[in-house]
Amino acid sequence: MQIKIKLTLLYTLLVAALLSAFALTVYFTSAETREDEYFKRLKQQASTKASLLLDTKIEPHVLQLIYKKSPNALFQEEMAIYDTAFNLLYHDAVEVDKVKETKGMIDSIVAMKEIHFYLNNLQVVGFLYNHDNKHYVITAAANDEYGYAKLNALRNTLIIVLAVSIIITFFAGRFLARQSLQPVTVIVDKVKNITATNLDLRINEGNRKDEIASLAITFNEMLNRLENSFDSQKQFVSNISHEIRTPLTAMLAELQLTSKKERSIEEYKKANEHIISDIKNLVRLSNSLLDFAKASYDQTEISFKEIRIDEVLLDARNDVLHNQPAYKVKIMFEKETESDRSVSVEGNEYLLKTAFINLMENGCKFSSGNEVTVSISFDDKNVIINFSDNGIGINEEDLANIFTPFYRGKNKMFAGGNGIGLPLTLKIITLHNGKISVSSQKNEGTTFTIQLPHLQSL
Ligand code: ADP
């Protein structure tokens, strides 16, 4: 069931229940008041007649005549007077005796002084009447024709008002529910139009205050994130294509040029060297991308174990020197360790080694001496690793972007690369709950600092 209909029905039901309770209270209170008042009126009129008979000494047959000749004789009260020994002293019309008093009834009136009861549709009152220190028992009965007519009219009015109110409430409720849910309908219609090709569409955020607005704001924020992620994916793919196309085009040109005519052995050797260097670049790029994909996995999908950072650093140094024997990588401890745990982390050895190799290679390739110094230190929480070089440094405006995939600084002419190393390093360090920061001075050198939570702190 639609929320709109549910709300309307609930609202109508609630109002109907309240109005019904109100109408029932009004009806039953009026019915009770009518009954009380009618018993009082019966008693009063009977007392007046008794006083006419006993005080004013009007002849009974005169009263009976008045009773019979009354225009509304059918509905007027019929009264009888008895003494306490059940002797009838007066009766309005014995032949139509409505109450049919019994000795038991007279006795109970004497005992209780006043009784009220119903006889079919007649209201009957019986009471003790005093005159000249003598007790008389009076009964009076009548049908409250006017009272019932008024009560029925009230009941009909209440039923009509209740029915009309419920109908009005239903339509008013439906209108209100529609009005309040209208923004949701608008959102749904708009969202239906949003696809991967028009992720720039946004939902109207209305007054930015109510619940619907906060739904729209949250949705728009989600769209922002999706759009950003889509954009960076697109950018990523186009960067990769570019990075792959460049060496491929270079290789094709080289091969076409050498195959145009017969070349000397030297020229072939040179062309071969160029092609080998381009292929190496491609291999490096594809390895980096593979590592990038690995580091983007969910943390739970990567195997972590306890590893000593200095051992991983030594391993990384060996790999760097194996690839580039001219590079110099110095590793040193800044302070003595008392426990292995303060230089050990819970990590993935392969990924951490990849990150360290990137930083070592960058330090070497961006400095004329091809030298980087790695120092290991720790505080009460982290093991801290600095990669410092005395190289060409990084431009201030490049510093904010060097962790963006495929971004290469203004100093890129100094050394080759593909701009994947630092973003990959950042991903790996973040995956290990660590931090990476950089400080650089142009023409003086650069220091990358990594902090990783050590085992002692876990
Ligand atoms: P790549 O080294 O392949 O260009 P990286 O992602 O490793 O890609 O580095 C991105 C950029 O950051 C580099 O192009 C360079 O401009 C700058 N950079 C990184 N490390 C250093 C460093 N030690 N000294 C100077 N510049 C650096």
Side-chain angles (χ1 to χ4, degrees):
M1 195 191 278
Q2 278 190 321
I3 294 184
K4 245 186 300 198
I5 299 171
K6 223 190 257 178
L7 277 179
T8 311
L9 289 182
L10 275 176
Y11 177 63
T12 312
L13 221 77
L14 185 75
V15 175
L18 284 175
L19 283 181
S20 306
F22 173 74
L24 286 174
T25 312
V26 169
Y27 180 77
F28 284 113
T29 314
S30 303
E32 216 168 283
T33 314
R34 183 211 61 76
E35 184 182 59
D36 281 355
E37 281 179 353
Y38 200 64
F39 276 127
K40 269 187 208 146
R41 232 186 75 195
L42 268 181
K43 189 180 169 189
Q44 240 172 29
Q45 301 217 345
S47 300
T48 313
K49 257 188 197 172
S51 149
L52 285 174
L53 275 169
L54 301 173
D55 294 333
T56 330
K57 304 280 192 252
I58 287 189
E59 286 299 318
H61 70 270
V62 178
L63 270 185
Q64 279 165 340
L65 201 66
I66 296 172
Y67 175 79
K68 280 172 191 157
K69 296 288 177 196
S70 295
N72 60 345
L74 208 59
F75 300 109
Q76 70 175 315
E77 69 279 358
E78 180 206 78
M79 71 97 90
I81 305 178
Y82 290 85
D83 64 11
T84 48
F86 192 39
N87 296 313
L88 181 64
L89 303 179
Y90 170 78
H91 202 295
D92 274 332
V94 186
E95 66 281 6
V96 284
D97 183 18
K98 291 175 182 165
V99 180
K100 306 208 177 7
E101 293 83 355
T102 58
K103 172 89 173 87
M105 189 193 293
I106 299 300
D107 289 346
S108 69
I109 295 172
V110 173
M112 296 166 77
K113 294 198 169 56
E114 184 168 334
I115 60 168
H116 296 163
F117 62 95
Y118 280 85
L119 207 65
N120 300 325
N121 53 354
L122 290 179
Q123 260 179 266
V124 185
V125 62
F127 63 97
L128 218 50
Y129 183 80
N130 278 341
H131 178 72
D132 282 347
N133 291 329
K134 269 187 79 180
H135 290 309
Y136 296 91
V137 175
I138 298 178
T139 62
N143 181 5
D144 183 9
E145 182 204 10
Y146 297 117
Y148 277 121
K150 267 164 63 184
L151 201 62
N152 285 346
L154 175 71
R155 185 196 58 204
N156 294 343
T157 312
L158 285 175
I159 289 175
I160 291 169
V161 169
L162 189 68
V164 172
S165 306
I166 290 174
I167 292 170
I168 292 176
T169 308
F170 176 79
F171 286 107
R174 205 169 62 160
F175 172 74
L176 284 178
R178 233 184 237 164
Q179 282 287 101
S180 16
L181 292 174
Q182 177 66 12
V184 176
T185 318
V186 173
I187 291 180
V188 170
D189 288 344
K190 189 93 188 197
V191 170
K192 275 184 193 158
N193 293 327
I194 300 178
T195 61
T197 50
N198 57 5
L199 269 179
D200 56 319
L201 283 185
R202 292 292 176 273
I203 294 164
N204 185 358
E205 292 178 359
N207 59 9
R208 295 188 57 87
K209 281 185 190 133
D210 58 25
E211 292 84 347
I212 304 277
S214 85
L215 174 74
I217 292 170
T218 314
F219 200 84
N220 281 345
E221 283 169 358
M222 187 191 78
L223 282 177
N224 285 344
R225 288 194 298 273
L226 276 181
E227 193 184 10
N228 284 343
S229 141
F230 252 70
D231 282 350
S232 50
Q233 294 279 344
K234 272 194 269 179
Q235 187 65 32
F236 197 73
V237 172
S238 81
N239 282 333
I240 292 175
S241 330
H242 178 78
E243 290 296 324
I244 293 175
R245 204 178 48 204
T246 311
L248 283 179
T249 320
M251 281 192 283
L252 188 66
E254 193 84 47
L255 286 170
Q256 279 171 340
L257 201 72
T258 42
S259 60
K260 259 192 182 152
K261 57 176 182 152
E262 192 98 349
R263 306 272 169 183
S264 68
I265 300 274
E266 275 316 300
E267 280 173 318
Y268 282 126
K269 265 190 183 167
K270 220 172 180 178
N272 250 6
E273 272 166 23
H274 286 155
I275 291 169
I276 287 171
S277 148
D278 282 337
I279 290 176
K280 271 187 181 166
N281 278 344
L282 273 177
V283 171
R284 200 173 305 139
L285 176 69
S286 75
N287 282 341
S288 299
L289 288 174
L290 210 65
D291 291 338
F292 200 79
K294 271 187 206 154
S296 305
Y297 290 166
D298 186 348
Q299 196 171 8
T300 50
E301 289 181 46
I302 296 171
S303 65
F304 278 61
K305 60 175 193 174
E306 292 183 8
I307 40 178
R308 273 189 69 125
I309 285 297
D310 51 340
E311 285 173 4
V312 185
L313 281 168
L314 282 171
D315 236 14
R317 177 177 178 268
N318 283 345
D319 281 16
V320 170
L321 298 185
H322 177 77
N323 288 336
Q324 300 283 350
Y327 284 0
K328 293 175 214 87
V329 181
K330 269 201 265 172
I331 299 178
M332 55 180 211
F333 274 96
E334 263 180 31
K335 40 175 172 172
E336 288 281 312
T337 51
E338 276 167 21
S339 147
D340 286 355
R341 294 178 68 78
S342 49
V343 287
S344 300
V345 300
E346 186 76 22
N348 180 287
E349 193 173 349
Y350 171 78
L351 289 177
L352 279 180
K353 191 168 93 172
T354 308
F356 297 159
I357 290 175
N358 276 329
L359 294 175
M360 286 174 183
E361 281 185 346
N362 276 355
C364 293
K365 75 182 180 188
F366 287 108
S367 52
S368 44
N370 295 140
E371 186 171 343
V372 67
T373 306
V374 184
S375 65
I376 309 166
S377 162
F378 54 89
D379 59 18
D380 51 345
K381 285 200 176 108
N382 299 307
V383 45
I384 303 163
I385 315 135
N386 284 311
F387 297 80
S388 306
D389 63 69
N390 299 318
I392 55 171
I394 307 172
N395 272 12
E396 197 149 330
E397 58 268 33
D398 285 336
L399 272 177
N401 297 314
I402 51 173
F403 291 100
T404 309
F406 299 106
Y407 186 89
R408 304 202 66 218
K410 296 220 166 35
N411 57 13
K412 65 181 176 194
M413 310 311 283
F414 198 82
N418 49 34
I420 284 283
L422 283 184
L424 171 61
T425 306
L426 172 68
K427 256 206 172 13
I428 293 172
I429 301 305
T430 313
L431 192 72
H432 286 79
N433 299 322
K435 282 189 197 132
I436 179 165
S437 59
V438 55
S439 69
S440 184
Q441 210 67 47
K442 232 176 151 229
N443 299 322
E444 283 185 23
T446 305
T447 300
F448 283 91
T449 304
I450 288 179
Q451 295 185 39
L452 291 167
H454 56 50
L455 290 181
Q456 196 111 356
S457 70
L458 298 178

